Amino acid sequence: MQISKSFRRLIFLELSIPLALLTLGIYHGLLQTIYRAGVLQQPAFAKLDYYQGLTLHGVINAIVLTTFFAVAFGHATMAFYFKKEPNKKVAWFSFALMTIGTVMAAWAMLAGKASVLYTFYPPLKGHPLFYLGTALLIVGSWIPLFNWASMYVKWKRENKTTKTPLAVLGTLINFIIWFVCTLAVAYEVLVLLLPWAMGWTSTVNVTLARTLFWFFGHALVYFWLLPAYIMFYTMLPKLAGGKLYSDLAGRIALFLFLLFSIPVGVHHQYSDPSITQGVKFFQGMLTFGVAIPSFLTAFTLAASLEYAGRRRGSKGLFGWMAKLPYFDSKNYLFSYFICGLILFIFGGLTGIVNSSYQLNSVVHNTAWLPGHFHMTVAGPVFLAIIGMSTYLYSTMSGKRIFLPGINVIIPYLWMVGVLIFSTGLMWGGLLGEPRRTNLGITYLNSASEHFRPDWVPTTLLALCGGIIMFVAGMLFLVVFFGTMFRKKTSSSILELPVSEAYHDEKRIPLFDKFKPWLVVMGIVLIIAYTPAFVNVKKNAGPGAPAFEPSNPVPIENVSRK
Ligand code: HAS
């Protein structure tokens, strides 16, 4: 499909701005592993301190990159399936808000005035511009939902009995989840954190802030995941040379995410004393519910890949695995997707460990956790984002990929790096190694009385994995920005791979309508979260003064001394 220059430019900017920032994000990822392995035994390096780097790493990689990409990919999906571009004035306005917000937050982080990590973590206190910036980024990313919803309503009016394309359904579901969950974090920022950061209130209600954050925080991970799932369902079977095993399975999985993505946030608060066991148990059960659409996805995708392998002439029970196009540089998206899926098998399994109430007390706040989430967000999510960014840029600019042979091995290098890195972290986590800690100053410093020799192999393993990931990340940036500097050789088009369905089930109205699912979503949310907020109101305790990450004494007491 041909697209306008303005739309093309918008998508290129939405892809390339966060990818340029990724250089900082990846650099601080590597530094984390260096500090933690005790190679650096100091609180700061190159004038940026440990927590400042950790904040930059989390905010750039997990919030800025993912949000910009979801919007860009959503625009491309809607335009491709509806054969019509979204309203461009509205789209540019949303981009402007997101960019201004990102610049504000980036300034606060780089100036060292907002080392509060991507989870905000009050009573750590950041500069007001950090909170305002992240709020603007979020509000800017709400706008496309309304832009796309009006396209969808118009299309549906003209195509009442046609099934909504799976990719469109997924994009709308994802942004509905995003809109609902971010209402809580918007409240946290605007009502609790911003007035506190401006000095209008002297303390902050930490329990309420955390509960509002996690109302948003777990749905956030599915907001990251769903663009990847859309690619896996609608593109991967075709790239593998087969068909999607069942279209209906994809629809069911997507609608289940609408029900279960949000009412599970308390599983991040199993250790919070203000929330009662009943609420934790109930949300723990719902967390097992949110794993169901992923199990459904695993079986559907495995069946689709098996079909592709058999079409390519495989024999035996598992022969199909050997027949897939792993190293085809012209079909490089396949390698990005398959590596993401392999990582997600382990990311998913460790997630189930986390969600099990009792097991969580073993792993909570240990290095196990970053082990888990690097096999999810830095697994299928990151690989789908970078693979699709290269694909969209190259097809929409009409430029050939720079270093295609390297491009196809990047995901394998990344996968090996993440597997080694996460093994080191999870092994360390089981030995009690804490997360979010500059281990080089104490536990990994042999001169310290706190030295832990049993954490030397675990942190070294994580360091090795981190170096491999860093190399893969840098190679990706070379390929992506190298492609930008190439000459245009073909016409610029918007073209997405589209898989046919093996079982293309008849349209079932329930799986083609939002209303009934939105009603059930509201009911589940009320049942899961009313008791949680009642708990918080009753048991919140006194407001907390501000702290800095490196000091257990409140800031005001430190400055009084
Ligand atoms: Fe999680 C903490 C539970 C999924 C990200 N998670 C985190 C944090 C992050 C994160 C960032 O219950 C840390 C937040 C912080 O800073 O504190 N998580 C789960 C569960 C799932 C899960 C039950 N997480 C994700 C995804 C993420 C993500 C997805 C990012 C995108 N997580 C938790 C819990 C905590 C937590 C607790 C808090 C712990 C604590 O104490 O703080 C489930 O959704 C997972 C379901 C997934 C599966 C896997 C399906 C496998 C597939 C691949 C199939 C492969 C094929 C290929 C077909 C069941 C689909 C085959 C072909 C071949 C050739 C082999």
Side-chain angles (χ1 to χ4, degrees):
M1 157 190 179
Q2 300 293 335
I3 46 165
S4 67
K5 209 168 158 187
S6 153
F7 188 57
R8 197 167 58 228
R9 195 170 293 159
L10 174 75
I11 294 200
F12 288 171
L13 285 171
E14 285 175 346
L15 295 178
S16 54
I17 291 177
L19 285 177
L21 281 175
L22 189 68
T23 38
L24 261 183
I26 287 180
Y27 162 74
H28 283 292
L30 177 67
L31 271 189
Q32 286 297 309
T33 60
I34 295 177
Y35 280 116
R36 288 182 59 93
V39 178
L40 277 176
Q41 299 183 332
Q42 56 207 51
F45 179 74
K47 297 203 174 143
L48 291 173
D49 88 33
Y50 174 86
Y51 287 103
Q52 198 179 357
L54 188 52
T55 306
L56 280 162
H57 178 64
V59 173
I60 291 174
N61 297 6
I63 308 278
V64 177
L65 174 68
T66 50
T67 307
F68 270 86
F69 177 81
V71 169
F73 181 60
H75 281 322
T77 305
M78 291 294 160
F80 177 74
Y81 280 95
F82 289 147
K83 300 289 168 253
K84 186 174 177 283
E85 294 173 13
N87 181 317
K88 283 192 285 292
K89 275 197 192 127
V90 176
W92 276 104
F93 176 60
S94 125
F95 168 75
L97 288 186
M98 287 165 60
T99 309
I100 296 169
T102 302
V103 171
M104 283 159 70
W107 171 81
M109 288 183 289
L110 285 167
K113 293 178 188 294
S115 297
V116 298
L117 313 192
Y118 89 100
T119 32
F120 301 161
Y121 282 125
L124 299 181
K125 191 176 184 176
H127 191 279
L129 279 187
F130 174 77
Y131 299 121
L132 257 181
T134 45
L136 268 188
L137 170 63
I138 288 173
V139 171
S141 67
W142 284 345
I143 295 170
L145 172 63
F146 302 100
N147 205 350
W148 303 332
S150 80
M151 292 168 81
Y152 169 73
V153 170
K154 214 162 150 219
W155 177 87
K156 202 64 196 162
R157 226 178 278 138
E158 291 156 12
N159 299 275
K160 284 200 177 73
T161 53
T162 313
K163 274 199 280 189
T164 307
L166 200 53
V168 170
L169 193 85
T171 306
L172 291 174
I173 286 178
N174 197 23
F175 274 77
I176 292 172
I177 294 174
W178 181 239
F179 179 69
V180 176
C181 75
T182 45
L183 289 173
V185 81
Y187 182 90
E188 181 197 0
V189 167
L190 298 176
V191 179
L192 300 182
L193 301 183
L194 202 55
W196 181 52
M198 304 284 281
W200 299 336
T201 51
S202 55
T203 58
V204 66
N205 181 339
V206 171
T207 311
L208 177 60
R210 283 173 64 86
T211 308
L212 287 166
F213 184 88
W214 287 119
F215 181 102
F216 151 81
H218 200 79
L220 167 71
V221 315
Y222 297 110
F223 173 71
W224 297 336
L225 185 68
L226 287 199
Y229 267 24
I230 292 169
M231 295 176 221
F232 298 157
Y233 274 105
T234 64
M235 302 177 192
L236 176 73
K238 160 134 182 155
L239 301 169
K243 293 184 180 181
L244 172 62
Y245 186 70
S246 162
D247 172 84
L248 182 60
R251 279 163 211 275
I252 296 176
L254 290 168
F255 276 120
L256 287 179
F257 277 117
L258 197 56
L259 300 192
F260 291 124
S261 290
I262 306 177
V264 294
V266 166
H267 71 219
H268 291 262
Q269 296 176 279
Y270 284 148
S271 306
D272 277 23
S274 357
I275 298 180
T276 53
Q277 282 169 342
V279 176
K280 290 174 182 168
F281 177 77
F282 184 59
Q283 294 216 14
M285 288 296 129
L286 290 177
T287 306
F288 291 129
V290 81
I292 293 173
S294 286
F295 278 121
L296 200 61
T297 302
F299 288 113
T300 310
L301 295 181
S304 312
L305 293 174
E306 176 178 353
Y307 176 73
R310 292 196 186 282
R311 260 183 145 186
R312 290 167 174 271
S314 79
K315 299 222 164 49
L317 202 55
F318 296 111
W320 55 272
M321 288 189 190
K323 287 279 179 188
L324 299 172
Y326 294 105
F327 290 101
D328 178 353
S329 63
K330 293 209 180 76
N331 191 9
Y332 60 88
L333 271 182
F334 179 83
S335 34
Y336 280 87
F337 293 171
I338 196 76
C339 289
L341 281 170
I342 293 171
L343 283 173
F344 197 42
I345 297 175
F346 304 103
L349 292 177
T350 49
I352 312 262
V353 170
N354 302 343
S355 58
S356 309
Y357 198 173
Q358 294 86 341
L359 288 181
N360 182 271
S361 55
V362 178
V363 298
H364 183 63
N365 274 342
T366 71
W368 170 280
L369 254 290
H372 157 66
F373 67 68
H374 280 85
M375 294 187 297
T376 52
V377 64
V381 173
F382 182 67
L383 286 172
I385 289 181
I386 62 173
M388 183 46 66
S389 297
T390 307
Y391 178 86
L392 281 177
Y393 183 78
S394 138
T395 48
M396 288 173 71
S397 64
K399 296 178 184 176
R400 280 213 294 266
I401 306 281
F402 182 57
L403 303 178
I406 299 285
N407 182 33
V408 78
I409 61 152
I410 289 170
Y412 296 97
L413 201 58
W414 181 263
M415 179 180 72
V416 170
V418 173
L419 284 174
I420 296 175
F421 171 71
S422 287
T423 305
L425 283 173
M426 290 189 303
W427 178 17
L430 294 177
L431 296 176
E433 195 185 298
R435 65 182 287 203
R436 307 184 203 101
T437 308
N438 184 352
L439 300 176
I441 295 182
T442 48
Y443 304 110
L444 267 295
N445 180 345
S446 54
S448 159
E449 57 180 317
H450 300 294
F451 180 57
R452 287 286 301 258
D454 54 332
W455 294 347
V456 171
T458 59
T459 50
L460 276 182
L461 200 60
L463 173 63
C464 291
I467 292 172
I468 301 174
M469 289 164 75
F470 179 76
V471 172
M474 284 297 145
L475 286 176
F476 160 72
L477 291 171
V478 169
V479 169
F480 182 83
F481 289 103
T483 306
M484 264 191 175
F485 288 105
R486 296 198 89 176
K487 282 210 180 82
K488 185 173 163 169
T489 49
S490 53
S491 58
S492 340
I493 47 164
L494 172 60
E495 186 67 59
L496 299 176
V498 181
S499 305
E500 264 180 73
Y502 181 77
H503 291 291
D504 196 5
E505 297 87 352
K506 266 202 337 236
R507 175 178 176 269
I508 303 174
L510 178 64
F511 294 104
D512 202 35
K513 275 189 199 159
F514 287 90
K515 249 192 220 146
W517 296 94
L518 289 175
V519 171
V520 180
M521 176 193 191
I523 295 171
V524 181
L525 264 178
I526 290 170
I527 297 174
Y529 259 104
T530 310
F533 282 115
V534 170
N535 278 185
V536 168
K537 179 133 187 36
K538 239 168 70 191
N539 310 327
F547 285 79
E548 271 173 350
S550 50
N551 200 332
V553 178
I555 293 174
E556 56 189 55
N557 297 9
V558 175
S559 38
R560 235 182 265 145
K561 271 189 190 166

